[in-house]
Amino acid sequence: MSPDDRKYSKEHEWVKMEDGNQALAGITVYAQDQLGDIVYVDLPKTGATIRFMEKMGEVESVKAVSDLFSPITGEVTEVNERLLDHPELVNEDPLGEGWMMRVTVSDAAELDQLMSAEEYEAFLSGLS
Amino acid sequence: MTTSNLRTPLYTTHVSLGARIVPFGGWDMPVQYSGILGEVAAVRTATGLFDVSHMGRLYISGPRATEFLDWVLTGSVESLRVGRARYCMICNEKGGVIDDTIFYRLAEDRYLLIPNAGNRATVVAWFQRWLDDKFPIGCVIEDRTEATALLALQGPAAAEAMDRLCSEPPSSMRPFSWQENQLQGTPVLLGRTGYTGEDGFEIVADADQAASLWQTLTEHGAKPCGLGARDVLRLEAGLPLHGHEIDENTTPIEAGLERFVRFDKEYVGSDVLRSQHENGVARKLIGLKMPGRSAPRAEYAILNQGQPVGRVTSGSYSPTLDTSIAMGYVDASRAEAGTMLEVDIRGRTAQVEVTPLPFYTRPRR
């Protein structure tokens, strides 16, 4: 069920390489399901530097607050502004419309430390 | 996974509906089905159905039952008429809240009392201690929690649904009254009570009838709702949750619950409560509102110009009001409505305004 056009972290973020060194990042179907109804997403500003597996923001559901960890090192070039007014997009379409930010990747080799779709699915089945 | 948690008669129903199950008060309970926001909206606009069988059903009866309950409850028992119910506290000698409860007067000398799930054993032991001490004969407690189920049907359309389903239309029942009725042939005890700030009913039935009652009520439009929605609803309605707003180290006076405390009778804790009522308290429970959707959460520090003045007890985004709300204790000098304070939200200081409780009152029809 996880598409194989992107890589996945153990913290349930995804990163998808686009043209050049641009990448799109967000959280997985599993992550949004665990969180429940998301009401607030706190993301870094455009221009900020985010670092591999370090905290980059927070996501709040009705019941809980969770840290977001960056799946890649780089500079944020765009954040999904729609999530400010429509955080429910993360629940409805976490891999598409609910994307969180676009990043200029500074070290593509980090992607090798992330999981493939197949590995991530295996990782998930080990959690339940 | 092995667990020693209790399960309600509806546990398999919840699992088959895809509910997320969490441990709560010693029970495995559904925290949500389709999603908390949708479940809250159903209760505010139509009807929601909750399994609250984890809460206790204690039957207290005997010629000295009234006298006994008047000794352990903050509310007047003797003055409650048969057919009525009342909300009040069970306090320790220091006025601290052992539990909050609704009790129904079933007959002149018979009562049904509903303690919180996690406090049932404590309440039973506390009652038994006072029975042994002061009322060795003439009053007995029967715990029928596991032999019965308790459902809560809540929302503006609840009365209409119940009128269609019950042999005696219950829409004419007054708030905080109860009656025996038949719900599509199943004998039930109905209370016009709840914990959501909406109109509604709480329904006691035999445990083996729970699944068919659940099915009937959901087939008639009630949306299954979990404890997550219940917590948001009660917070919007400014209702305390034991373990958060009230506990053995807080008194009903500090919690702003004076209206459920009698000062003209002697009972466990009455001296302390009367003294606090007359002399005031050092800290008070307040409501807090914060613009936006990022919420103050339980245990976050409340500050006044950077100095700690209190602590959040519960907080959430309020979908009904589309703002963030919280309750907490602050120094009594900072408790006036309109006072601007701050909350430390994970290292970020946010402005909050002291707000009268409840945050939400249901519209009059």
Side-chain angles (χ1 to χ4, degrees):
Chain A
M1 115 183 184
S2 301
D4 58 10
D5 59 356
R6 61 195 82 194
K7 303 293 279 277
Y8 300 86
S9 78
K10 288 185 176 171
E11 300 290 344
H12 309 287
E13 284 89 16
W14 55 262
V15 58
K16 179 185 175 187
M17 289 308 292
E18 300 180 315
D19 293 341
N21 55 359
Q22 294 290 296
L24 215 54
I27 66 170
T28 67
V29 172
Y30 175 86
Q32 66 76 29
D33 185 58
Q34 289 294 305
L35 286 162
D37 289 331
I38 291 166
V39 296
Y40 182 74
V41 183
D42 186 28
L43 294 173
K45 294 195 170 22
T46 302
T49 300
I50 56 172
R51 290 180 211 290
F52 185 63
M53 283 302 113
E54 289 186 9
K55 183 179 166 179
M56 63 168 183
E58 289 175 345
V59 56
E60 286 196 48
S61 63
V62 182
K63 291 300 289 176
V65 184
S66 293
D67 287 339
L68 291 170
F69 294 92
S70 173
I72 200 83
T73 299
E75 184 186 321
V76 178
T77 55
E78 187 183 354
V79 297
N80 187 351
E81 302 285 350
R82 288 181 71 198
L83 300 185
L84 291 177
D85 290 326
H86 298 286
E88 68 276 10
L89 288 172
V90 180
N91 291 116
E92 290 164 3
D93 189 11
L95 304 177
E97 299 276 297
W99 66 275
M100 290 184 169
M101 54 196 169
R102 185 165 274 121
V103 182
T104 302
V105 173
S106 43
D107 181 8
E110 284 172 351
L111 290 168
D112 298 337
Q113 298 178 54
L114 298 173
M115 289 177 276
S116 68
E118 196 178 335
E119 287 164 339
Y120 181 62
E121 291 291 325
F123 174 68
L124 288 184
S125 48
L127 295 180
S128 53
Chain B
M1 192 176 75
T2 59
T3 172
S4 57
N5 278 342
L6 296 168
R7 289 174 173 181
T8 81
L10 289 163
Y11 177 80
T12 54
T13 303
H14 303 319
V15 170
S16 71
L17 287 168
R20 181 164 304 153
I21 305 289
V22 297
F24 181 84
W27 296 72
D28 285 331
M29 295 299 294
V31 67
Q32 68 163 63
Y33 301 83
S34 50
I36 292 174
L37 296 180
E39 293 168 25
V40 168
V43 173
R44 291 280 181 247
T45 61
T47 40
L49 181 63
F50 301 83
D51 176 16
V52 284
S53 302
H54 61 311
M55 300 184 77
R57 264 83 64 210
L58 304 180
Y59 289 80
I60 294 156
S61 54
R64 298 194 75 190
T66 304
E67 198 187 341
F68 164 71
L69 286 174
D70 256 326
W71 177 249
V72 291
L73 300 180
T74 61
S76 173
V77 181
E78 193 268 332
S79 70
L80 186 71
R81 290 199 302 274
V82 174
R84 305 284 303 163
R86 181 162 277 163
Y87 171 78
C88 67
M89 266 58 62
I90 302 162
C91 284
N92 60 30
E93 291 94 332
K94 293 174 179 169
V97 181
I98 292 172
D99 203 7
D100 62 336
T101 186
I102 289 177
F103 67 101
Y104 302 79
R105 192 164 195 171
L106 302 179
E108 207 51 44
D109 58 359
R110 184 167 166 82
Y111 298 85
L112 167 60
L113 187 138
I114 313 287
N116 279 298
N119 293 335
R120 176 165 58 113
T122 310
V123 168
V124 170
W126 179 254
F127 282 4
Q128 199 55 56
R129 180 193 137 182
W130 287 110
L131 286 176
D132 294 346
D133 239 36
K134 280 179 73 90
F135 305 88
I137 54 166
C139 181
V140 291
I141 302 172
E142 186 191 3
D143 185 344
R144 291 186 44 79
T145 306
E146 292 183 53
T148 57
L150 180 62
L151 304 184
L153 184 75
Q154 301 278 298
E160 197 188 318
M162 289 296 271
D163 278 355
R164 286 200 304 271
L165 291 167
C166 290
S167 54
E168 296 288 326
S171 63
S172 58
M173 289 173 68
R174 290 170 59 198
F176 281 86
S177 68
W178 66 269
Q179 64 173 218
E180 283 173 347
N181 210 320
Q182 299 234 335
L183 202 161
Q184 288 209 331
T186 301
V188 292
L189 184 147
L190 298 182
R192 195 85 186 251
T193 49
Y195 188 56
T196 60
E198 294 300 329
D199 184 23
F201 299 85
E202 290 178 297
I203 306 165
V204 182
D206 283 345
D208 58 7
Q209 299 299 319
S212 71
L213 285 177
W214 181 275
Q215 190 179 346
T216 299
L217 291 165
T218 52
E219 278 170 4
H220 283 76
K223 188 181 182 75
C225 294
L227 296 184
R230 189 170 162 86
D231 192 44
V232 172
L233 291 157
R234 69 93 193 166
L235 178 60
E236 289 181 338
L239 301 171
L241 173 62
H242 196 272
H244 287 254
E245 284 69 39
I246 45 177
D247 60 29
E248 298 205 7
N249 299 310
T250 57
T251 72
I253 312 301
E254 293 172 318
L257 300 168
E258 285 98 334
R259 65 191 181 283
F260 307 111
V261 174
R262 289 299 284 241
F263 300 106
D264 59 355
K265 67 167 191 170
E266 296 302 318
Y267 54 95
V268 185
S270 60
D271 291 350
V272 176
L273 298 181
R274 195 177 298 112
S275 164
Q276 288 191 347
H277 179 61
E278 286 164 6
N279 303 320
V281 289
R283 58 176 189 156
K284 284 184 177 169
L285 186 72
I286 52 160
L288 293 171
K289 255 190 196 177
M290 189 173 101
R293 293 170 148 232
S294 180
R297 306 276 173 177
E299 296 302 316
Y300 289 6
I302 304 172
L303 312 169
N304 179 39
Q305 296 179 341
Q307 297 303 307
V309 290
R311 197 158 285 280
V312 174
T313 50
S314 300
S316 175
Y317 168 65
S318 162
T320 309
L321 305 171
D322 192 23
T323 190
S324 288
I325 57 172
M327 291 196 275
Y329 280 96
V330 294
D331 296 346
S333 63
R334 312 310 309 163
E336 196 176 330
T339 304
M340 296 305 295
L341 298 171
E342 303 112 52
V343 174
D344 180 345
I345 298 191
R346 304 180 293 283
R348 170 168 59 89
T349 301
Q351 295 286 317
V352 292
E353 182 178 350
V354 179
T355 308
L357 295 171
F359 301 104
Y360 167 85
T361 310
R362 69 185 153 101
R364 287 174 172 273
R365 295 219 220 167

